[in-house]
Amino acid sequence: MNRLETEFLGFTMKNPITAASGTFGYGEEFRSFYDPSLLGGISSKGLTLFPKEGNSGIRIWETPSGILNSIGLENPSVGRFLEEEYKRMRAIDSLLVVNLGGNTLEEYVEGARLLNEADIDVLELNISCPNVKEGGMAFGVDPKSAEKVTRAVRKATKHKLMVKLSPNVTHIGDMAKACEEAGADAISLINTVQGMAIDVDRKKAVFDQTYAGLSGPAVRPIALRMVHQAAKAVKVPVVGMGGIASYKDALSFLMAGAAAVMIGTGQFVNPYLGKEMVEDLERYCEKENLMNIGEIRGIV
Amino acid sequence: MNRLETEFLGFTMKNPITAASGTFGYGEEFRSFYDPSLLGGISSKGLTLFPKEGNSGIRIWETPSGILNSIGLENPSVGRFLEEEYKRMRAIDSLLVVNLGGNTLEEYVEGARLLNEADIDVLELNISCPNVKEGGMAFGVDPKSAEKVTRAVRKATKHKLMVKLSPNVTHIGDMAKACEEAGADAISLINTVQGMAIDVDRKKAVFDQTYAGLSGPAVRPIALRMVHQAAKAVKVPVVGMGGIASYKDALSFLMAGAAAVMIGTGQFVNPYLGKEMVEDLERYCEKENLMNIGEIRGIV
Amino acid sequence: MAVILENRFLGDEMYLLSAQYEGKAEPGQFFMIRSAGSFPLLSRPLSIFDVQEDSISFLYKVIGEGTKEFSRLSQGMELDLYGPFGKGFDLTPEGLNVALVGGGMGAAPLFYTAKRMRELNPDQEITLYLGFQKENAVVDVFKELNLPLILNFGGYVSEEVDYEKHDVFYTCGPEVMMRRVSSHGKEFGKPVFVSLEKHMACGVGACLGCTCKTKEGNKRVCKEGPVFPGEEVFYE
Amino acid sequence: MAVILENRFLGDEMYLLSAQYEGKAEPGQFFMIRSAGSFPLLSRPLSIFDVQEDSISFLYKVIGEGTKEFSRLSQGMELDLYGPFGKGFDLTPEGLNVALVGGGMGAAPLFYTAKRMRELNPDQEITLYLGFQKENAVVDVFKELNLPLILNFGGYVSEEVDYEKHDVFYTCGPEVMMRRVSSHGKEFGKPVFVSLEKHMACGVGACLGCTCKTKEGNKRVCKEGPVFPGEEVFYE
Ligand SMILES: Cc1cc2nc3c(=O)[nH]c(=O)nc-3n(C[C@H](O)[C@H](O)[C@H](O)COP(=O)(O)OP(=O)(O)OC[C@H]3O[C@@H](n4cnc5c(N)ncnc54)[C@H](O)[C@@H]3O)c2cc1C
Ligand SMILES: Cc1cc2nc3c(=O)[nH]c(=O)nc-3n(C[C@H](O)[C@H](O)[C@H](O)COP(=O)(O)OP(=O)(O)OC[C@H]3O[C@@H](n4cnc5c(N)ncnc54)[C@H](O)[C@@H]3O)c2cc1C
Ligand SMILES: Cc1cc2nc3c(=O)[nH]c(=O)nc-3n(C[C@H](O)[C@H](O)[C@H](O)COP(=O)(O)O)c2cc1C
Ligand SMILES: Cc1cc2nc3c(=O)[nH]c(=O)nc-3n(C[C@H](O)[C@H](O)[C@H](O)COP(=O)(O)O)c2cc1C
Ligand code: FES
Ligand code: FES
């Protein structure tokens, strides 16, 4: 048996390394570096019921050990995805996660319904997009709204449901618990941390939307803490991410209780990251005499 | 008139650069690099009513562009401070800020009363220390508790009162407003962001207390966003900090609405930071033809 | 990892860096480049300046921390080169008489473009228009091409161009300049191709950080570009 | 900024780095050191290995990213040196016969300590006990001192020491080793001084990151230390 094989929601992942939503396109973009089917899973760019052009202005800004992004969920819509990118993505032999965003409860539900047609593995509900609001309040920062949208999508989808949490909250454990109670099969976190940059020379906010999302190694200590707290708060599996840039980082998230990890910004630093991490983790298991990587899960 | 002079709570600061609590000892420690009276202000290490030994184990851990610290408010107590460090600190010709921590409401109030004896300029109420809890809930992450402790200390102290906020909350603006309503004369933020590190080789949390506080350039985008939000939420002056490591960083906080800034971790990278920033800001004002640095405040 | 052969200072904060390289690379394409280590976080996009038998070179200007790090490199040190990425200039344009118009570092992709075009069609007529803030040694490097070379220092190179004479225009440089070349070309009913710059994270079309608006909807500068028909991107 | 004169590889990941320096510096004190640039964030504490007329040197081992950066430095490059900080070894100990016991990189402060002690009192009897994992060229550097030198590779150097013969013991190295020297010294009723290592942020007593417990309450390794009487810090 493969030492990295990971049981997750009834699926057998080759390994616990997944590409994070929005950082790996629809699975094909990094192929010039390695075969994406080497990865345990791939999460699609966030999709919405209606196509989105995304935000104007600068979309990427580097910060110390991190990046701020203001992509604004640019995507062709769930429907167009099903006609085009979906087929190429399904052809990759890896856990197929579809990331779903939305502006209203109805959009989420309708998007989820549309995805019932397709043979996807996991629906990742992105309730943490800062631009997505319900009554002025983002779904992802209030346990009651999170519960509501999770419950509605749980009813609408036939797929396994993973809810992706925002780190911009006081009590991450409460958010995780609310989603678990509403029927989430798994929790993933963290999405980006809300941040800001000012172009001092131009005396202006860098981003047209003023605020943007921070990711990358800078946020890793925050992400690790939240994954630890979330894993303690719920029984369903937790998928951890935020600044992972080496196999040791991945190990720390697994030790903190994650069932699997996702890699995002780290791939912009080293496009071979996914492949190298899988190899490094295999070597680690050998060296540490682990029959399976799962043995270290949650030991901290 | 000095272009950097900054009116703050009725005091005239030489410039808007202040040393942040816990990173500059009691004002004398960096003297081998420069005369501390060059700074606009100095905030003391956090003091408590009773002496504290601080936390066991590793206390400092480097992260990408940041540090996690778990000092645990080691301090000699307010009383001992008044006998010893206070005198040396008062002798420095700079705004004297005393940072006050506590375990209970009563401790805060008692500490504030003791400080009435002394000629200090500003009392900085640290309600954001992660180890300080009221009924299991830190004062700094719940607007009601924050309001309560602010109100109580407001009554007890004869000094100007600045409340220092925790970034570990969903709505920083609400926290700032709660403190303003309870009588805070100013708001300072951010304190450290709660984070975690795991020593993968030892398969253990790095810190005996598991979680620790993240500071440094890594958190700057988060801090800047929160300062912007807080400055929009309240009328009282806001003092901004979090990862400031150059005069351009300082400018971005001022442009985001801060009346003054504090420098912490950046001084560990460059011990001359305070002095160099004052010089750089002076040059900036000349170059930009500002009569006073305050002209750029809040322009973003 | 590519071993650095030379990192030559050319004045006015500009450098010509060459490194060992074997492989294909088309004019107008770019590489995502980083000097070893984890700082700065993102790789920096640089256009291909020239390709020789076993080497590739890049012309860059020091702007911020990333290019500052590049300037510290010297012979024998190593570099990570990811690429080549994107779609470059069409080397067999419709029209015999091509103008290549570069402003500042926009000159970078034009050297190899001119060189390859002439190799593919020795009859191709190529005129180079280059604008810089100050005099510098980059100009001397371009002189090696032995092509008509019109220079402008401190002014608007877009206004030096003879829009009547040439059949097609390739341009790279500040957006204002490229917009001018585009609209002049349009006036004369002639095709203009522009090479865009956007902040990039991935370089391979995965992050949507570099999207630009076009007549036909959003396109990714790193994947569908960086070279676009001018009228497609400057259409408002 | 200090200009680097040499960064000599001594085997087993160890280097001897020397840089231009004029100023005072006492044995057992340390500097907070960074290679130019913002990575890594914190400066790294290194003990003074030796001071010569216009230069200072440091002996270090590559452990993580910070020391890795040091190993990449070469002659002519620059270094930020903040210091000297802390309180070092007493150079006029009570007792004529001193043992200096170093484990691994704990050897670093002992070279200059031995050298200065002998300069101050040519009659001082000094024996060096050094323990390393593997053979290396550091040993050759210590041989230049021309002092009795007892070596141990891969074992416990603390157990090589003749606790009867010497009057006072200075030790630096892994904590287990220093604890052993301390307790042996105590058995013989003789004073032991140990040099502690803690993660440091400021190096000047401001952050309280390096606090150690002592019999008389918390002390800062960077300010009151790094050298402490063994019985004061290993008292439990
Ligand atoms: C396709 C393409 C080709 C390019 N070719 C060249 C070339 O051949 N020679 C050359 O000198 N420059 C070229 N540039 C611009 C070059 O990438 C930037 O000057 C460089 O990234 C600046 O990095 P920095 O760290 O020095 O500056 P900083 O301003 O500190 O960089 C901060 C961030 O902004 C990004 N950034 C800043 N300016 C630009 C810019 N103009 N375009 C894209 N991203 C930017 C950086 O990549 C980085 O992520 C090209 C840009 C693109 C998109
Ligand atoms: C007073 C003092 C004097 C020292 N003198 C020497 C010397 O002369 N030669 C030598 O080789 N080493 C010496 N050390 C240890 C040296 O500081 C560490 O090996 C070095 O900081 C490791 O940095 P790194 O980035 O390579 O390792 P990393 O493990 O990546 O460092 C991560 C963080 O932990 C800190 N750290 C890691 N190990 C230590 C340690 N043992 N002590 C303190 N901080 C540590 C680093 O400074 C950094 O902040 C001394 C330490 C102290 C406190
Ligand atoms: C450019 C970019 C685009 C992203 N797009 C999405 C998205 O569409 N949906 C989503 O749930 N998360 C999105 N994210 C968040 C990442 O999936 C991930 O949660 C976050 O970046 C933290 O991980 P990292 O630090 O490893 O990048 C995006 C992140 C980046 C950097
Ligand atoms: C070592 C250390 C000790 C600190 N101690 C205190 C403290 O006692 N009281 C307090 O209010 N903040 C304390 N802080 C928080 C800083 O004052 C500041 O809010 C935080 O570090 C963010 O700023 P920076 O990124 O510039 O360091 C401490 C920070 C550090 C790094
Ligand atoms: S840079 Fe990522 S899509 Fe172009
Ligand atoms: S390192 Fe800051 S007090 Fe010692």
Side-chain angles (χ1 to χ4, degrees), chain D residues 168-219:
Chain D
V168 49
F169 303 84
Y170 289 1
T171 180
C172 184
E175 195 174 307
V176 278
M177 184 205 92
M178 294 194 291
R179 280 185 185 274
R180 279 173 161 276
V181 176
S182 263
S183 71
H184 286 312
K186 202 173 169 186
E187 282 166 33
F188 286 84
K190 292 175 177 174
V192 176
F193 293 87
V194 305
S195 180
L196 297 187
E197 284 187 8
K198 288 269 181 184
H199 286 218
M200 291 180 173
C202 72
V204 296
C207 74
L208 307 184
C210 67
T211 298
C212 69
K213 285 204 170 186
T214 78
K215 247 183 184 165
E216 297 151 25
N218 282 350
K219 295 208 170 160

Side-chain angles (χ1 to χ4, degrees), chain D residues 11-42:
Chain D
D12 198 20
E13 310 253 36
M14 294 186 288
Y15 292 79
L16 188 60
L17 182 151
S18 60
Q20 283 176 6
Y21 179 77
E22 289 174 49
K24 270 189 61 158
E26 296 296 326
Q29 286 190 307
F30 66 97
F31 279 76
M32 294 295 284
I33 301 184
R34 55 190 305 116
S35 40
S38 57
F39 175 82
L41 195 74
L42 295 176

Side-chain angles (χ1 to χ4, degrees), chain C residues 200-203 205-210 220 222:
Chain C
M200 293 181 172
C202 73
C207 75
L208 306 183
C210 66
R220 296 164 296 181
C222 70

Side-chain angles (χ1 to χ4, degrees), chain C residues 211-233:
Chain C
T211 297
C212 67
K213 283 203 172 187
T214 78
K215 248 184 182 164
E216 298 153 24
N218 282 350
K219 294 207 173 164
R220 296 164 296 181
V221 171
C222 70
K223 193 83 185 177
E224 284 85 39
V227 176
F228 294 95
E231 51 178 5
E232 199 181 293
V233 290

